[in-house]
Amino acid sequence: SQSALTKTLRELETQTGAALLVRASRGTRFTPAGKVLVDHARLILTTMRRAEEEVRRLSGQEIATARVAVTPVVAVTKLGGIIHEFQRRHPQGQLDVEIGTLANIVPRLLDGQLDLALGIATPEALPADLAFLPFTEVRLSPVSRSKRFANREVSWEELSAERWLLNPAPGSADQVALDWLAQKNITLAHPPTLCRSPFLLAALNRSTDLIALCPTQILEDSFWGAGLCRIEVPDLPPRMQLGALTRRHTPNSLVSRDIIDISTRLIRSI
């Protein structure tokens, strides 16, 4: 009932010593402290559900399942091999796989909607609640469908005057590249088009002359690299780490550990 809920919330406020709700004429909303408590409560509930699934799986009541997100470089190069090996080890298992960028993967990993993620990241820029296990390193190169930059070396100063397509989330490859350019006293002349969808990134790469940054492994793929021209520049941004992201304070399930083991072997061969 409403009175029981109100009583519980007041008890929580007394217990935590912080106001959790702001009550106003327009309604009630969570305070910053209340939002933190809700996030932790949601993660606890998700962890309990996953623990129950794990116990049922170990007792033969449920199949092996995992919810995994990957960034484009993993999807293009090694996801097929990971799925094949998972199915070999777990013939009746099921993977729930999605593709994303760091900007939309990290929140879903933090709140327990994902079991793990495989992708490019800067470990020190990730939230403290996430752990990162590196597998290998990748290089980023500027690309465009435009032929204006073909067959010549192009300076970063010249490229900075162009229009760009980026997804500069904290810890992302694009943000690392922007920080690296800033150290060279180079800033983009125009606000970039921001895009958090891998599908839209790929579509816009092929339908506009916007400059983007792309892992060299994607460029080398005959399908995904088609129509993109690598722009020759004097130097490239620092190598980025490619690895597994998991929640630091939540035990990985046996299935998740199995996927990490598979990915470690396959992705290190990139």
Side-chain angles (χ1 to χ4, degrees):
S1 67
Q2 184 66 39
S3 59
L5 178 60
T6 301
K7 180 175 180 293
T8 300
L9 287 171
R10 285 175 177 166
E11 289 174 351
L12 282 172
E13 288 181 326
T14 300
Q15 185 177 345
T16 59
L20 303 177
L21 293 172
V22 175
R23 301 167 181 85
S25 57
R26 293 184 178 180
T28 303
R29 59 183 175 82
F30 285 108
T31 64
K35 290 178 181 178
V36 168
L37 187 62
V38 168
D39 288 343
H40 281 283
R42 185 180 292 117
L43 180 57
I44 290 169
L45 290 173
T46 302
T47 302
M48 287 298 298
R49 187 184 71 250
R50 293 300 284 159
E52 291 172 2
E53 292 174 0
E54 183 84 345
V55 170
R56 287 197 296 269
R57 190 187 72 79
L58 288 172
S59 62
Q61 303 175 58
E62 196 161 302
I63 63 173
T65 62
R67 303 173 183 93
V68 185
V70 299
T71 58
V73 66
V74 177
V76 169
T77 59
K78 296 298 180 182
L79 183 57
I82 292 169
I83 292 174
H84 176 78
E85 178 61 16
F86 174 83
Q87 292 173 340
R88 188 189 70 80
R89 297 188 186 188
H90 305 279
Q92 300 303 315
Q94 184 178 57
L95 281 180
D96 185 345
V97 185
E98 62 183 67
I99 188 171
T101 61
L102 215 58
N104 48 44
I105 287 175
V106 165
R108 289 168 52 74
L109 192 57
L110 285 171
D111 68 13
Q113 295 182 58
L114 295 170
D115 295 311
L116 73 153
L118 305 171
I120 298 174
T122 305
E124 56 270 21
L126 292 172
D129 288 337
L130 293 185
F132 184 78
L133 174 66
F135 297 148
T136 188
E137 294 180 332
V138 297
R139 278 284 199 187
L140 299 177
S141 177
V143 299
S144 175
R145 74 164 188 174
S146 174
K147 304 297 190 290
R148 291 186 297 116
F149 307 108
N151 303 316
R152 66 184 180 94
E153 185 175 270
V154 183
S155 70
W156 285 104
E157 286 80 5
E158 181 180 350
L159 284 182
S160 69
E162 301 290 328
R163 297 281 184 176
W164 282 71
L165 173 67
L166 295 171
N167 178 35
S172 69
D174 284 359
Q175 188 58 57
V176 168
L178 288 175
D179 293 343
W180 176 74
L181 288 173
Q183 292 174 5
K184 298 160 72 72
N185 295 317
I186 298 174
T187 56
L188 302 186
H190 309 284
T193 297
L194 302 178
C195 184
R196 293 172 177 81
S197 162
F199 173 77
L200 285 178
L201 282 168
L204 290 171
N205 277 339
R206 289 160 177 78
S207 61
T208 72
D209 289 339
L210 296 172
I211 309 297
L213 292 165
C214 182
T216 56
Q217 290 85 351
I218 292 180
L219 283 174
E220 293 163 0
D221 184 86
S222 59
F223 178 77
W224 291 99
L228 296 180
C229 298
R230 184 187 310 209
I231 301 172
E232 297 299 329
V233 287
D235 49 358
L236 292 174
R239 293 180 182 272
M240 292 290 297
Q241 293 191 65
L242 175 59
L245 294 87
T246 58
R247 291 183 296 278
R248 189 178 299 277
H249 304 298
T250 305
N252 292 322
S253 69
L254 294 175
V255 178
S256 294
R257 279 179 269 168
D258 217 11
I259 294 170
I260 291 172
D261 177 64
I262 295 168
S263 303
T264 301
R265 178 171 54 84
L266 292 179
I267 292 177
R268 281 180 178 167
S269 66
I270 289 181

